[in-house]
Amino acid sequence: MALQVSRRGLVTTGSLALSGLMLSGCDRLANAPNLLGLVRRAQGVTMGSQRLVLDHQPLAREFKASEISPTFKANGTLHPGGEDYAAMLAGDFADWRLSIGGLVARPFKLGLADLRALPARTQITRHDCVEGWSAIAGWTGPQLGGLLQRAGLLPSARYIVFHCADDLIGSSDGSGLYYESIDLIDAFHPQTILAHSMNGSPLQVPHGAPLRLRVERQLGYKQAKYVMAIEAVDRLDKIGGGKGGFWEDRGYEWYAGI
């Protein structure tokens, strides 16, 4: 029976469990080993089933503008520290540059104005947090796949890594810098975008300004905020803690499909 439980169902189960523990925030969630165990056992099932059933890249459900949630909780990092981010924010991100490199033939950088000038996709989707809450919002930004095609992935590229500006645990050695990764199937999904706008307005700092990833078929912790660099790689074990993401290095599963 356990193998028939969906990730969404586990999220609901986790929410009930956590409400009893009066926990809040993903960092606190890492202290709930029973829930993490449930999610961990679901990973192989959800990834395998999605790769079979979703082979033709169907879209995650999209909603009407009238269904946008009146509030959208911002959690995790709400404001990256550091002088560099403060300076970029003070300049309205005019000096911010997104670098795209790694295993690509043509690495390049883009400013925020360049990104906003690209053809964009707007999608109204539901964000499902592993904590158990959900919210609907509209996201706008260029599709990641188009940028990767422009860079020209090398044959050895297998994963796309997102390096972010936030130092979530404030570590002095930089080991707390947030990062995430997805495989090429999700990278080229039509709804995988680099969102510079939320609900028709420029992305605000608590939600990841100036740029965040939206990979709609996975849980919220995969939607990396404050994206600074995108790197194509052939393996994940030499990046960060080697598990493919900030939370994955702390016990979460790499594939968070719902």
Side-chain angles (χ1 to χ4, degrees):
M1 291 297 291
L3 296 181
Q4 298 175 9
V5 177
S6 68
R7 173 98 50 177
R8 193 180 301 280
L10 288 173
V11 169
T12 303
T13 302
S15 175
L16 294 173
L18 290 179
S19 65
L21 294 173
M22 298 182 67
L23 298 176
S24 63
C26 290
D27 51 343
R28 302 285 182 84
L29 189 60
N31 294 321
N34 291 336
L35 173 60
L36 288 176
L38 284 172
V39 177
R40 184 172 296 114
R41 288 194 292 274
Q43 172 181 236
V45 178
T46 55
M47 184 173 183
S49 61
Q50 284 200 2
R51 288 295 181 261
L52 287 172
V53 177
L54 307 181
D55 185 49
H56 300 293
Q57 300 281 57
L59 302 182
R61 181 184 175 186
E62 297 191 12
F63 297 80
K64 301 175 182 176
S66 60
E67 297 176 285
I68 290 175
S69 300
T71 59
F72 193 108
K73 180 180 178 180
N75 64 346
T77 300
L78 303 183
H79 194 301
E83 295 180 359
D84 291 344
Y85 186 85
M88 290 187 291
L89 177 60
D92 198 23
F93 297 107
D95 295 328
W96 172 88
R97 296 291 183 274
L98 172 71
S99 67
I100 299 179
L103 297 174
V104 300
R106 300 175 293 277
F108 62 92
K109 293 184 178 181
L110 287 172
L112 190 54
D114 301 320
L115 276 165
R116 288 173 173 165
L118 292 173
R121 189 179 201 281
T122 294
Q123 56 202 32
I124 300 175
T125 55
R126 188 175 67 197
H127 179 106
D128 292 309
C129 180
V130 72
E131 298 169 11
W133 60 268
S134 298
I136 295 172
W139 307 96
T140 300
Q143 292 171 311
L144 175 62
L147 294 174
L148 296 177
Q149 287 181 320
R150 173 176 168 179
L153 290 178
L154 299 180
S156 55
R158 295 182 59 202
Y159 305 98
I160 305 300
V161 179
F162 305 86
H163 299 280
C164 305
D166 50 326
D167 184 359
L168 190 56
I169 61 173
S171 61
S172 59
D173 64 358
S175 63
L177 284 176
Y178 204 95
Y179 77 104
E180 257 304 341
S181 63
I182 56 177
D183 65 12
L184 297 185
I185 293 177
D186 275 319
F188 282 91
H189 186 274
Q191 289 174 314
T192 300
I193 65 173
L194 296 171
H196 52 65
S197 299
M198 176 183 177
N199 295 336
S201 299
L203 203 59
Q204 298 299 301
V205 170
H207 291 293
L211 196 71
R212 75 178 296 172
L213 171 68
R214 294 300 308 178
V215 51
E216 302 293 356
R217 296 187 308 183
Q218 298 205 40
L219 289 172
Y221 67 87
K222 301 294 288 191
Q223 327 294 325
K225 302 192 294 186
Y226 317 109
V227 176
M228 300 294 293
I230 295 173
E231 180 184 15
V233 301
D234 59 349
R235 54 195 295 180
L236 299 173
D237 59 347
K238 294 184 177 180
I239 301 172
K243 303 298 184 184
F246 177 91
W247 286 115
E248 290 88 329
D249 289 342
R250 291 156 178 80
Y252 282 36
E253 291 307 314
W254 175 76
Y255 189 77
I258 51 178

